[in-house]
Structure formats: structure tokens, C-alpha cells
Amino acid sequence: MKKLMNETILIRTLKTAFAAIASIVVANTLSLDFSAAAGIIAILNVFDTRKATTDGGLRRTLSAILALAIGGICFELFGYKTWVFGLYLLIFVPVSFILNIQLGLGPSSVIVTHLMSFGDVNKFIILNEMALVFIGTGFAMITNFYAPNKQKKLHKLVSSIDNQIKFLLNLFGESLVANIDVSLYRDRIEKLDKDLDKAIEMAVIESENMIENSNVMLYDLHLRERELNYLKDIYNDLKSIPSEYDEGHYLSKILIDTANNLTEKDAIVDVKARLIYFKEHVEMMELPKNHKDFVIRATVFQVFRTIDQFIDVNNYIVNKPI
């Protein structure tokens, strides 16, 4: 996670430096007044993802247009005085929040101070200020055309997550027929939880960078989150089922079969059919003779239901339409 964060910071730093320098150079080349402002606007508009940069750039552009309109009217009506800038803020700030463009409050207000420096509002000044905005915003967007594709790393992590799920299912199955304390493997569940969080974070960035198939990957990871929740439920229930309990053998076979066919298309459907058969078989068995056996039988049925839900989710992951 730390390595991923460091890489993200480095890439954003390089993008920001390039966008700022390029914006100032172009603004100077065009002989624009306050050319350094283009670089500041570029710095403020470089975000971690393409989506965030595009959204931020559009909001700040709209904010700049509105600020110039409000500021220009205020200065023309009341003069180019400091208190008029305060009047402009009294109008512009609440309007920005109402329109949800408060992201541009800072840079837009800096541009309005240029009007005070000019002491005038005309089409050339407006064009100068809008050129600064478009140059800064434009280079921020251009730099974010480069977005490193982490699909290979993400697929590798997802494969590791599936293997961890298989391991836990096998472990749960073995614990029902052998003297294994499943509570000893709590760390494996916690690691799976952390790896899922890491994968989802990567997939969100891929999605916001508009990488192909990233939305499908993100959705599948959220489905695996549901699978993990079911595993946690099974883990808690299995602690109440002793290894010598006969009905636990049916559950053991189902859990191990689910693990072995977890990523196999269509095979998981056969596992579900066997699950239904075993469940019906247990239902026809003689009723428990004491309270302890009754509680264990109820827990067995609960695990059956949870596995059934787990298989439905997994079946969608491996057999969803392309």
C-alpha cells in the first residue's frame, strides 16, 4: 500500500510540475498579463485521476466565468476599490456553494483581483483572464491523459484473493471432520479483508481513470466483499459444530467442493445442486433428541443457507454475461 501511495505521489508531482511550467510558458508566449496565474490554475486543477481532473477543471472554469461577471459588474457600478472586492465576495461565495462550484473560489477570486489592478473591464481584459483559465485547465487535463494502467497488478491481486477464499473454504471443510481450531486462522480472514480493501482502492482509481473494463472489475470486487461476509458468518457458526457431529460431514464435502470449483465456470452450478440434495437429506433425518443437538442442527442449517448464498454470488462472478 505504501509503495502504491509513493508511486501515486511521484506521478502527480511530475504531472503538476509539467502542467504549471507549460502553462506559464504558453501564457508568456501569448504575452498575457499575469501569466504566472496560468501556472497556479494548472497546479490547482491536477488531481489523482482523469475523472477528478476533468470534473474539477469544468467546475473551476464555470466558477471563473461567474466570478468575472459578478466582479466586473460590482467594479463597474461602485468603482475599483477594496471594499467592492468584499462586496463581490459576499455575492460570489454563497452563489458558488449553491451551484456546487466552490472548488473554484480561490483561483477565481485571484482573477477578479486582476480587474482591480487593471482598473477597467473590457473585452481584451476578459479574454486575457479567460485565456489564463483555459491554458491552466487545459494543461492540467492534458497531463492526466497519462494514467498508469494497473490492470496486471490488479488481476494478480484478485487471483490471490480467490486463492485465499479457496484456502478458507477448504479449512472450514477440514475443521468439520478433523480436530482443527478454526479460530487459529482469524489472521487469514483479516489478511483477506485488507487485500480486498487494497484491490477495491486500486479498482476505484482505475475506474476514475476510465481504464477499460475497470468498472466490471470494481463490481466483481464488491461481490467478493459479499463473499467474505458470508465466510465470516460461516467461520462464526462452525465454532459451534463439533468435528464428531455426523451432519458436519455433509457440510465438509460441500465446503471443499465449493473451494475446488470456485473459479470454474458451470462447475459451481453442480455444487449448488449437490448442496440442495444434501440439505434435503438432512431435513429428512430424525429430529434431535436433546437441546444441544437441536442447537447444532440449527447451526448446520444456517451454514447451509450461508453457503447457498455464497454460491449464488460466486456463480454470478464466474458465469456473468460478457
Side-chain angles (χ1 to χ4, degrees), residues 221-235:
L221 284 168
H222 283 307
L223 290 178
R224 284 174 173 84
E225 268 192 317
R226 289 177 61 186
E227 286 185 327
L228 175 57
N229 288 333
Y230 291 137
L231 287 177
K232 290 177 180 177
D233 290 339
I234 294 172
Y235 164 76

Side-chain angles (χ1 to χ4, degrees), residues 145-210:
F145 283 151
Y146 170 72
N149 189 321
K150 300 184 184 298
Q151 289 288 299
K152 187 175 180 180
K153 289 183 180 178
L154 192 51
H155 280 289
K156 185 177 179 180
L157 184 54
V158 170
S159 178
S160 171
I161 287 168
D162 285 339
N163 287 332
Q164 291 179 64
I165 291 174
K166 288 180 182 180
F167 174 86
L168 285 169
L169 285 168
N170 268 306
L171 169 67
F172 293 162
E174 291 295 331
S175 72
L176 287 164
V177 293
N179 190 21
I180 299 175
D181 184 2
V182 293
S183 64
L184 296 176
Y185 293 83
R186 189 181 298 109
D187 289 346
R188 299 299 293 257
I189 293 178
E190 290 176 357
K191 183 181 185 306
L192 177 55
D193 219 338
K194 290 177 181 177
D195 284 351
L196 259 173
D197 287 342
K198 179 180 177 181
I200 289 172
E201 182 180 339
M202 289 175 63
V204 167
I205 293 173
E206 293 287 278
S207 176
E208 293 196 349
N209 277 327
M210 305 169 192

Side-chain angles (χ1 to χ4, degrees), residues 45-64:
N45 278 330
V46 175
F47 294 91
D48 288 332
T49 66
R50 292 174 182 171
K51 181 181 178 182
T53 297
T54 302
D55 182 63
L58 292 174
R59 287 172 187 266
R60 284 200 168 106
T61 300
L62 177 58
S63 175

Side-chain angles (χ1 to χ4, degrees), residues 14 58 118 138 147 164 166 189 217 246-247 268 276 294 317:
L14 294 173
L58 292 174
F118 284 120
Q164 291 179 64
K166 288 180 182 180
I189 293 178
M217 177 68 76
D246 290 339
E247 281 84 343
I268 200 70
I276 294 172
F294 180 82
I317 294 174

Side-chain angles (χ1 to χ4, degrees), residues 34 37 40 85 88 104-115 129:
F34 304 106
I40 300 300
F85 181 71
Y88 145 79
L105 271 173
S108 297
S109 296
V110 170
I111 287 174
V112 171
T113 62
H114 295 170
L115 300 182
E129 299 309 307

